[in-house]
Amino acid sequence: MTGSRPLRPRLRALRPEAFGADPTGARLERILRSPNFADGAFVNPLGTRVRPAGSKAEFARIYFHKEQRVRRNPGAPIPVYPTTLAELAKPPVSGLRLTWMGHSSVLAEIDGRRVLFDPVWGERCSPFPFAGPKRLHPVPVPLASLGEVDVVVISHDHYDHLDLPTIKALAGTDTVFAVPLGVGAHLERWGVPAHRLRELDWNEATEVAGLTLTATPARHFCGRGLRNQQFTLWASWVVAGEEHRIFHSGDTGYFPGFREIGEAHGPFDATMIQIGAYSEYWPDIHMTPEEGMRAHLDLQGGVARGTMLPIHWGTFNLAPHPWDEPGEGTVAAAGAAGAAVALPIPGQPFEPGAADAPGEAWWRPFVAGVTPAPEPVAGAAGRSVTAPASAGPVAAAGPGAGPAGRGEPEAVGS
């Protein structure tokens, strides 16, 4: 008779590859010793609700409201920047250049090195290729054409930040992966050798190619499988070179720890801050644009310096708010604070602090219900990207675009 013990390995073998792997052995022992692990789970810096709060009926009413569903998608194809590769072939004049590839994926060129944050090149942020939120614009640059990357940094293991097909493609390169504690188990299952992993707890640091990478606290959660055990950590990241310092928030709710991170590692030449996929139903795990600006100022010691790049918006439909609301909210918050923000079209390289850094609200012609005019949208260095009628590479509008469209399924708490 087959007992539960022999059956367990068989069930594990049936687990979808995209679910990754559970930490075991020395990795699990290290997790259990972590000061951030208690009562069988990693814990946040302060009390945090990780499941949707409030009335499920009210949430369903908002979720399925026809007009609001339309507003959660762009009303016209979103442009991507047409000359990214040509510009990336030239070294940045200042020594620091950022290229937002969409959502939370950013290529940072810092002091002669290249860091790729949360790379998601897949069509859907989902464990399955046939379901889940689909891209609203294509990736601006083919992953194989991106060139050598010194280190890939992962903030946490949710599908819109840790993408199986992207990691498997990068596993065949020589890049190093810097990941929060426990996430290395997923990467090893997908073909990344252990010697190319730098797996960190909060406030631990590693040196890669002359850069210092520090995993810093964030207020979020983890999980890829059905049980969603809190056995992998989530993190924000500080990257410091000889001349420049940058910060990537990953996914996080607002918390006072941003000021502590700024005191320990700042100020920063640029911050990449999550400002999308928020909701009153999960207020502790994602920031609104106003909270994102507050975090940016905290990181800079309360002074409006450096450049903030808003991330985690525009690429996937993950929350009930209108598609363009995070961008508009960021513009308003920056204006109120007197802070510098960069507003690049996906794939548009820019140097923080440069006079030609993109600052126009490029998304406005693509809002549902607005008739797109075939006029230029401001780009960097006086260039322009023409709106849909004659643009270069552009995305399909996506299944939810247009007044009669149906949105893709949304992921709560990504």
Side-chain angles (χ1 to χ4, degrees):
M1 181 175 178
T2 302
S4 59
R5 288 183 181 276
L7 183 60
R8 192 179 302 274
R10 298 181 192 179
L11 292 175
R12 190 178 295 117
L14 296 174
R15 177 176 177 159
E17 186 180 20
F19 281 10
D22 294 327
T24 59
R27 178 178 282 115
L28 180 58
E29 292 176 6
R30 187 178 168 206
I31 289 170
L32 297 176
R33 293 194 304 268
S34 168
N36 303 303
F37 192 86
D39 299 324
F42 279 110
V43 294
N44 273 296
L46 71 165
T48 300
R49 294 164 293 175
V50 300
R51 299 301 177 200
S55 166
K56 293 181 180 179
E58 178 66 16
F59 178 77
R61 185 187 66 79
I62 294 172
Y63 182 90
F64 290 109
H65 187 271
K66 181 178 179 181
E67 182 179 344
Q68 294 198 22
R69 285 179 66 84
V70 169
R71 288 294 311 279
R72 288 200 290 271
N73 291 276
I78 304 172
V80 295
Y81 197 69
T83 59
T84 306
L85 284 174
E87 296 198 15
L88 291 180
K90 308 170 186 175
V93 174
S94 67
L96 177 64
R97 181 165 59 201
L98 303 179
T99 306
W100 179 52
M101 299 295 180
H103 202 56
S104 296
S105 302
V106 181
L107 175 67
E109 298 166 272
I110 173 171
D111 298 339
R113 301 300 182 182
R114 304 176 96 215
V115 182
L116 187 58
F117 292 96
D118 284 356
V120 175
W121 260 248
E123 277 301 302
R124 295 181 186 271
C125 49
S126 166
F128 309 109
F130 53 84
K134 191 175 182 181
R135 302 187 69 91
L136 300 175
H137 64 80
V139 290
V141 177
L143 190 61
S145 302
L146 193 58
E148 183 178 346
V149 172
D150 293 286
V151 56
V152 172
V153 175
I154 303 297
S155 65
H156 63 296
D157 70 358
H158 285 157
Y159 292 99
D160 57 324
H161 297 260
L162 181 62
D163 179 55
L164 168 62
T166 304
I167 297 300
K168 292 190 80 169
L170 290 167
T173 70
D174 293 328
T175 190
V176 171
F177 291 81
V179 302
L181 186 56
V183 174
H186 300 318
L187 272 63
E188 283 197 61
R189 183 182 182 191
W190 299 337
V192 178
H195 73 271
R196 282 171 40 208
L197 289 172
R198 306 290 186 271
E199 204 164 344
L200 305 182
D201 204 342
W202 287 342
N203 299 312
E204 291 182 343
T206 187
E207 300 284 332
V208 179
L211 300 175
T212 301
L213 298 98
T214 306
T216 44
R219 191 184 185 195
H220 200 55
F221 70 111
C222 67
R224 296 178 72 84
L226 299 177
R227 292 179 297 166
N228 258 9
Q229 291 181 302
Q230 300 284 77
F231 270 63
T232 59
L233 188 59
W234 48 96
S236 57
W237 287 87
V238 170
V239 178
E242 293 182 359
E243 301 292 336
H244 295 92
R245 291 174 176 266
I246 57 178
F247 174 85
H248 189 284
S249 72
D251 277 4
T252 180
Y254 179 80
F255 71 114
F258 289 116
R259 185 170 294 277
E260 297 172 6
I261 295 170
E263 291 172 352
H265 302 283
F268 299 97
D269 298 282
T271 66
M272 296 156 273
I273 303 289
Q274 172 262 305
I275 52 87
Y278 50 84
S279 171
E280 62 184 5
Y281 292 95
W282 50 88
D284 296 343
I285 56 173
H286 281 177
M287 293 188 290
T288 65
E290 295 76 15
E291 290 171 325
M293 178 54 64
R294 185 178 173 190
H296 168 75
L297 295 175
D298 285 354
L299 289 160
Q300 304 289 37
V303 179
R305 56 187 163 191
T307 299
M308 172 181 160
L309 170 64
I311 60 172
H312 202 266
W313 77 287
T315 302
F316 297 107
N317 186 344
L318 300 175
H321 60 65
W323 169 74
D324 61 312
E325 187 176 280
E328 294 293 348
T330 300
V331 169
V341 295
L343 304 172
I345 295 166
Q348 182 177 7
F350 72 94
E351 299 191 29
D356 58 4
E360 299 295 324
W362 59 267
W363 56 85
R364 288 175 179 165
F366 311 100
V367 177
V370 176
T371 302
E375 298 176 355
V377 177
R383 302 176 183 85
S384 65
V385 177
T386 307
S390 58
V394 297
R406 289 179 176 267
E408 287 285 336
E410 294 157 352
V412 174
S414 61

